[in-house]
Amino acid sequence: MYGQKKGIDLFLKRIQPRLLLAAQWSLVAAFLLFPVAFAPGNVAIALAFLLSLAAGDYRARWQAVRGMPVVWWALGLYAVVLVGALYSPAPGADIGMHLSKYGKLLLLPALLPLLAQAAWRTRCLNAFMAAMGFILASVYANVFWQLPWSVTQNQGWGGDHTVVGDYITQNIMMVFFATAAIARGQSAQGRRRWAWWLAAALAAVAVTQLSQGRTGYLLLCVAAAGYVFLALRGRARWVVLGSMALAIGGVLATSQTVRDRIALGLNEAAQSSSMEITSIGGRVNFWKHTALLIEEKPLQGWGTGSYHSVWCQRVTQEGWCWFGGWHPHNQYLFFWMENGVLGLALFLLLVSAPARASARAAALDRPLLWAFSLIFAVDSLINSPLFSGRESHFFIMLLLWLCAQAHFGGRGAQPTPAVV
């Protein structure tokens, strides 16, 4: 009996480092795949999660991340979602869908230990930047040629050149790519610095000139302004911010696509009371009617998964059950309506996690941490990023990377050994 137990212990001792290594490479693959291919990205993320669990040594791994606030906020938010399932009037299928979608929150405590070493954080971010570089090159190539992997097949300058998924998600990722490229340029030297800054400029133009998404315009302004405000000091800060304001004015003056999209959005908002199904007018009505539902149960909410059935009962105009019945295009209102004040509070903490973590981060990382929190916060006002599949991939995976970078690579951080 003793010999059998000793043999099992020896086998586990040999296999655990290999499982850990496989989990880390799966995580690198996930960062490479999720921006460009949804299903393979899902597989890589699931594989990293399962291999991470199989690697064992849970006590050491928990000790490595238990001091990170983002872990507690993610676990707390998912616990609230679980409790909300107990009193929800929604069908089991709707509740299960919400539990599955928000289950990505559990990736944070499970996968953060895999990024304890700087080499793995570098590999993961390099993989993401390579994937976004491929998307950026495809956007410009799609202006001239029909690419078989591009979502849109319309050639010519100024049109919508969405390569993967939908234009909203592509623009969100492209805005962060542009910001990260600025950060890399700031820490690089010589030609590499200018190459990164050129990539950032090309990404910004892809958002403003080669996409129809207003979300991208807004997030680009917010992220760039936030980054510059944190990265620069004194006169340089105001000179660059002023130059950015002039550049925005130039974009408005030269891009008919941007002007048309903004004018259309303002008109849709003004006509929202007609309950016509439009992008901006629809959002105004989502927010208005969801706020009315919150007023009825502001503390505990209606329960996990309840939005669809309750919305369709209350908003009965033709087409609106289908159009607005899955989420209100506002993650704050979504959590508040379904999971009450506590769900809203925990989500606010989760959104602010990178910005809060910047207090202990290395100086060069702080502007990027704040820029991501700003992107997350503003996008959550007009979309439901933790509910939408592609957006949740991006926000959870980059939240994972940024918080790991701040915690394990921040000021005064000690070199962290492998956790197995």
Side-chain angles (χ1 to χ4, degrees):
M1 192 68 167
Y2 173 76
Q4 185 180 14
K5 183 179 184 300
K6 187 176 180 180
I8 293 174
D9 290 342
L10 183 61
F11 173 76
L12 291 175
K13 187 175 181 179
R14 289 177 177 175
I15 197 67
Q16 281 178 337
R18 298 177 184 179
L19 290 171
L20 174 67
L21 185 64
Q24 288 170 315
W25 278 115
S26 296
L27 189 57
V28 174
F31 275 90
L32 179 66
L33 291 172
F34 84 79
V36 296
F38 185 72
N42 259 339
V43 172
I45 292 170
L47 192 58
F49 178 75
L50 293 174
L51 288 169
S52 175
L53 294 182
D57 203 5
Y58 304 122
R59 178 177 296 180
R61 296 170 64 191
W62 175 246
Q63 289 176 347
V65 301
R66 68 180 182 181
M68 301 175 68
V70 69
V71 169
W72 295 101
W73 297 333
L75 290 174
L77 183 56
Y78 196 67
V80 169
V81 170
L82 287 173
V83 171
L86 300 177
Y87 59 86
S88 174
D94 288 356
I95 294 173
M97 179 175 60
H98 280 64
L99 294 179
S100 173
K101 286 180 175 291
Y102 295 139
K104 291 179 186 178
L105 293 166
L106 301 179
L107 293 173
L108 292 167
L111 299 183
L112 275 167
L114 301 183
L115 296 176
Q117 295 170 304
W120 290 107
R121 297 195 299 275
T122 299
R123 290 174 184 133
C124 285
L125 187 62
N126 284 345
F128 173 80
M129 298 296 278
M132 292 307 303
F134 170 77
I135 293 173
L136 180 62
S138 297
V139 167
Y140 282 94
N142 198 48
V143 173
F144 305 101
W145 303 288
Q146 289 190 1
L147 304 179
W149 58 86
S150 177
V151 172
T152 57
Q153 297 293 322
N154 52 316
Q155 279 61 65
W157 185 264
D160 178 31
H161 296 282
T162 300
V163 176
V164 295
D166 58 84
Y167 62 84
I168 293 177
T169 307
Q170 179 173 296
N171 282 341
I172 292 169
M173 295 192 299
M174 195 63 72
V175 166
F176 181 79
F177 171 78
T179 312
I182 293 173
R184 286 203 159 185
Q186 192 176 3
S187 61
Q189 300 292 330
R191 293 181 179 178
R192 292 184 64 188
R193 168 175 290 184
W194 291 105
W196 279 116
W197 285 352
L198 175 61
L202 290 172
V205 171
V207 171
T208 60
Q209 307 289 335
L210 300 175
S211 172
Q212 65 176 353
R214 288 166 295 225
T215 298
Y217 310 156
L218 176 61
L219 295 182
L220 182 63
C221 293
V222 168
Y227 186 93
V228 167
F229 191 85
L230 269 294
L232 301 180
R233 295 287 183 272
R235 184 180 178 183
R237 171 192 288 172
W238 303 111
V239 169
V240 174
L241 287 174
S243 300
M244 287 172 54
L246 291 175
I248 292 170
V251 168
L252 291 173
T254 60
S255 176
Q256 187 64 41
T257 300
V258 173
R259 293 200 304 273
D260 289 347
R261 292 290 290 168
I262 292 175
L264 177 62
L266 293 173
N267 182 65
E268 289 175 355
Q271 301 296 323
S272 63
S273 59
S274 67
M275 294 297 287
E276 181 181 353
I277 293 179
T278 61
S279 177
I280 300 300
R283 280 175 167 82
V284 172
N285 283 297
F286 297 154
W287 304 335
K288 180 173 65 177
H289 289 284
T290 303
L292 292 175
L293 294 173
I294 290 170
E295 286 182 8
E296 294 185 38
K297 297 184 178 182
L299 297 180
Q300 80 277 22
W302 290 78
T304 299
S306 61
Y307 180 83
H308 176 64
S309 55
V310 174
W311 170 273
C312 290
Q313 290 169 9
R314 300 299 181 88
V315 184
T316 57
Q317 285 87 345
E318 183 178 356
W320 278 82
C321 178
W322 168 83
F323 181 56
W326 290 112
H327 61 85
H329 284 77
N330 185 305
Q331 192 71 64
Y332 305 105
L333 294 178
F334 201 7
F335 274 124
W336 196 358
M337 181 269 169
E338 290 199 338
N339 303 109
V341 171
L342 185 56
L344 172 64
L346 286 166
F347 179 64
L348 286 167
L349 290 171
L350 191 73
V351 169
S352 68
R356 290 170 177 267
S358 69
R360 66 163 288 159
L364 284 175
D365 291 329
R366 285 178 216 152
L368 189 61
L369 289 159
W370 270 94
F372 178 83
S373 276
L374 289 170
I375 292 170
F376 199 179
V378 174
D379 185 57
S380 296
L381 288 170
I382 51 181
N383 294 302
S384 299
L386 291 192
F387 189 80
S388 301
R390 288 183 180 274
E391 284 184 57
S392 65
H393 272 18
F394 167 76
F395 282 107
I396 291 295
M397 296 300 284
L398 269 299
L399 187 64
L400 172 76
W401 188 90
L402 287 161
C403 289
Q405 179 70 5
H407 182 77
F408 296 118
R411 294 179 301 165
Q414 298 300 315
T416 306
V419 295
V420 175

